[in-house]
């Protein structure tokens, strides 16, 4: 009975890792839609968000079943509780990628990102996607060391966001007010994807060590 319980728990974590990979793909595709004004890809990301929502509901329900079937102890309990929260983190990241795709769709056939901001968004998107991938890999490997690296990546994202604001608020902003609003929103979406990846990494560290990482770079909102 206990062995079956552990198998179900391991299966839950494996499917959580698979959800991470789906979110990573959503971030990558939404960025392509955004920077290339690719309407078909934007529509795909928006449509596929329902699959992420369904996966969220399934994994959350399985967490509740595992809690109810037996009294989980120590690492088992930490894993289930952390999994319930990571599912929510991943669903939110998927929603944010969907928001990016919706702006790409709204501005089609033009590109929502002004040419001068394209390098900034390319870097921002790459950092966000890498952070999601690292969080998933750390969970799969139960690797607290890799999870801890996310705090440094988040600092890189923060610097990119600051650079973006310097351009936005500069006296020589050459684009429209509409473009400024789009840039502000899009930057916030990528920043929040990174924030949720850091939160997820903190939960991985908790699963592995039993302790939440401390410091100003860590949050559990």
């Amino acid at each position: 009975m206990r062995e079956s319980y552990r198998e179900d728990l391991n299966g839950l974590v494996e499917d959580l890792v698979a959800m991470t990979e789906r979110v990573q793909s959503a971030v990558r595709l939404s960025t392509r839609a955004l920077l290339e004004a690719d309407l078909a890809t934007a529509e795909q990301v928006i449509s596929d968000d329902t699959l992420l929502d369904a996966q969220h509901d399934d994994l959350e329900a399985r967490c509740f079943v595992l809690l109810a079937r037996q009294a989980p102890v120590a690492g088992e309990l930490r894993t289930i509780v952390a999994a319930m929260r990571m599912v929510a983190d991943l669903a939110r990241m998927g929603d944010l990628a969907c928001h990016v795709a919706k702006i790409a769709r709204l501005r089609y056939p033009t590109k929502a990102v002004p040419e001068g901001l394209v390098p900034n968004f390319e870097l921002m998107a790459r950092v966000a996607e890498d952070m999601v991938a690292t969080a998933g890999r750390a969970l799969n490997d139960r690797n607290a060391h890799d999870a801890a690296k996310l705090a440094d990546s988040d600092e890189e994202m923060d610097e990119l966001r600051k650079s973006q604001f310097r351009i936005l608020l500069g006296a020589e902003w050459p684009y429209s007010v509409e473009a400024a609003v789009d840039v502000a929103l899009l930057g916030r979406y990528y920043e929040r994807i990174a924030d949720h990846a850091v939160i997820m990494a903190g939960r991985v560290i908790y699963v592995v060590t039993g302790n939440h990482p401390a410091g100003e770079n860590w949050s559990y909102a």
Side-chain angles (χ1 to χ4, degrees):
M1 181 69 176
R2 202 71 196 173
E3 187 61 33
S4 173
Y5 188 79
R6 291 196 186 94
E7 288 176 2
D8 289 344
L9 186 56
N10 288 336
L12 173 72
V13 173
E14 289 173 3
D15 288 345
L16 195 57
V17 172
M19 186 177 180
T20 304
E21 293 168 353
R22 179 168 281 170
V23 169
Q24 183 185 356
S25 176
V27 174
R28 181 174 62 254
L29 291 175
S30 64
T31 301
R32 180 193 303 169
L34 180 70
L35 298 181
E36 299 178 10
D38 186 335
L39 181 60
T41 300
E43 295 285 9
Q44 178 186 341
V45 173
I46 295 165
S47 175
D48 287 351
D49 191 53
T50 59
L51 300 176
L52 277 170
D53 291 340
Q55 195 166 15
H56 164 273
D57 293 344
D58 173 65
L59 290 172
E60 185 179 64
R62 286 162 61 186
C63 286
F64 282 119
V65 169
L66 286 169
L67 280 173
R69 271 177 48 191
Q70 292 191 38
V73 295
E76 292 174 351
L77 182 59
R78 290 201 306 271
T79 299
I80 296 170
V81 171
M84 291 175 68
R85 297 188 175 185
M86 282 190 272
V87 166
D89 294 329
L90 287 165
R92 186 57 187 146
M93 285 188 257
D95 290 340
L96 291 161
C98 186
H99 292 338
V100 172
K102 286 180 178 178
I103 289 183
R105 182 176 67 178
L106 178 66
R107 301 305 177 204
Y108 179 83
T110 61
K111 296 179 181 179
V113 175
E115 196 62 34
L117 272 296
V118 168
N120 176 274
F121 273 99
E122 288 176 337
L123 286 172
M124 191 173 274
R126 188 193 70 198
V127 171
E129 185 182 342
D130 287 349
M131 289 176 73
V132 176
T134 299
R137 187 168 58 251
L139 174 62
N140 184 65
D141 299 339
R142 311 296 201 278
N143 191 320
H145 177 73
D146 281 355
K149 295 177 182 177
L150 267 293
D152 292 334
S153 296
D154 195 46
E155 289 184 3
E156 182 179 359
M157 177 65 79
D158 290 343
E159 287 303 314
L160 287 167
R161 184 77 163 133
K162 289 175 184 176
S163 173
Q164 190 179 88
F165 272 122
R166 284 193 290 270
I167 298 171
L168 265 176
L169 301 176
E172 299 180 0
W173 174 256
Y175 309 106
S176 65
V177 172
E178 182 181 83
V181 172
D182 285 346
V183 166
L185 285 173
L186 288 163
R188 180 59 174 162
Y189 296 153
Y190 283 108
E191 182 182 38
R192 286 302 293 157
I193 290 170
D195 289 342
H196 280 285
V198 171
I199 292 168
M200 181 175 170
R203 304 196 200 288
V204 172
I205 293 172
Y206 170 68
V207 168
V208 175
T209 68
N211 296 304
H212 289 295
E216 62 181 11
N217 292 330
W218 296 97
S219 172
Y220 305 97

